[in-house]
Amino acid sequence: ENVLTQSPGTLSLAPGARASLSCRASQSVGKNYLAWYQQKPGQAPRLLIYHASTRATGVPDRFSGSGSGTDFTLTVSRLEPEDFAVYYCSQYATSPWTFGQGTKVEIK
Amino acid sequence: QITLKESGPTLVKTTQTLTLNCTFSGFSLSTTAVGVGWIRQPPGKALEWLAFIYWDDDKQYSPSLQSRLTITKDSSKNQVVLTMTNMDPVDTGTYFCAHGSGWLLDVWGKGTTVTVSS
């Protein structure tokens, strides 16, 4: 299976700061079928980015995804209070689908 | 608007079989390239993909859990059912179902919490 490793585990930033989250795959992700999800406590994950760089419907343009092959990045250009959450990357190119272990973005 | 809702027992005993229902609206599982997946999340831990069923009845399972899982669909009732046998306390967590657009899990249900106790 394609193991996804996210870094850092926790990111402590102030509102207004820029956040960069990394996701590294153990094998190349075919067709860049890499997604990013946001999860807040007690809620289901929300799709933010798919195909590595396409924003899902209704996602603010401060969220952007980049990368290809085995290295991917989610960037939040300026953190808003509602952006403090846990973020997961996931590949859906091959079965089994896999998720990273998550990056928690917390208020500094 | 696509919505999904998980339902099932909140408490099961060790070795019992868990049966979870995912009832959805806003799409049809008879439509090409549509699917439904199941994902779980132990308390305080990461997401774990379990199974996926495709519009043409193609089924995919987590290799580590394949022997314990069965996924089925009833397109006429807009339901997908996941069964997991031989439940153990490590299976405690929140279980989500999600709409698959192709293989992308794009819309998720709110989840249902399952506790496994002896």
Side-chain angles (χ1 to χ4, degrees):
Chain A
E1 72 179 48
N2 199 343
V3 177
L4 302 182
T5 302
Q6 294 186 238
S7 61
T10 303
L11 204 48
S12 298
L13 295 168
R18 180 184 182 89
S20 290
L21 288 66
S22 172
C23 176
R24 181 162 292 176
S26 62
Q27 307 165 35
S28 184
V29 177
K31 300 180 181 179
N32 288 335
Y33 278 6
L34 191 287
W36 289 93
Y37 297 90
Q38 177 193 66
Q39 188 178 33
K40 297 179 180 179
Q43 296 185 17
R46 170 197 178 197
L47 177 67
L48 296 177
I49 301 287
Y50 62 96
H51 296 354
S53 60
T54 303
R55 272 188 301 276
T57 303
V59 175
D61 60 8
R62 63 180 180 272
F63 290 92
S64 62
S66 62
S68 63
T70 61
D71 290 301
F72 300 89
T73 301
L74 174 70
T75 301
V76 188
S77 58
R78 287 180 58 85
L79 285 166
E80 297 287 340
E82 61 268 27
D83 299 336
F84 291 93
V86 179
Y87 293 82
Y88 293 96
C89 60
S90 174
Q91 69 82 26
Y92 51 100
T94 57
S95 180
W97 285 241
T98 49
F99 293 89
Q101 81 277 22
T103 291
K104 181 180 182 180
V105 179
E106 65 177 22
I107 300 176
K108 185 173 182 180
Chain B
Q1 179 191 7
I2 291 174
T3 64
L4 305 99
K5 186 174 183 179
E6 306 86 350
S7 60
T10 57
L11 181 65
V12 297
K13 293 187 182 299
T14 303
T15 74
Q16 285 186 335
T17 293
L18 172 69
T19 299
L20 294 173
N21 286 281
C22 176
T23 303
F24 56 84
S25 63
F27 67 96
S28 170
L29 250 185
S30 301
T31 301
T32 301
V34 170
V36 171
W38 283 95
I39 309 93
R40 71 178 179 179
Q41 186 172 39
K45 296 189 177 181
L47 301 164
E48 179 184 17
W49 175 77
L50 300 176
F52 187 89
I53 189 163
Y54 217 31
W55 67 283
D56 60 0
D57 212 38
D58 178 33
K59 300 168 186 178
Q60 301 289 324
Y61 294 103
S62 166
S64 62
L65 294 167
Q66 184 165 11
S67 64
R68 299 173 53 204
L69 294 174
T70 303
I71 189 169
T72 60
K73 65 180 175 69
D74 187 333
S75 300
S76 64
K77 293 182 178 179
N78 284 355
Q79 284 188 342
V80 170
V81 176
L82 181 75
T83 60
M84 181 180 291
T85 61
N86 195 24
M87 294 293 285
D88 183 271
V90 300
D91 297 313
T92 293
T94 301
Y95 288 72
F96 300 95
C97 63
H99 170 267
S101 178
W103 283 16
L104 172 67
L105 299 171
D106 57 356
V107 181
W108 295 49
K110 294 183 177 181
T112 187
T113 301
V114 177
T115 301
V116 185
S117 173
S118 56

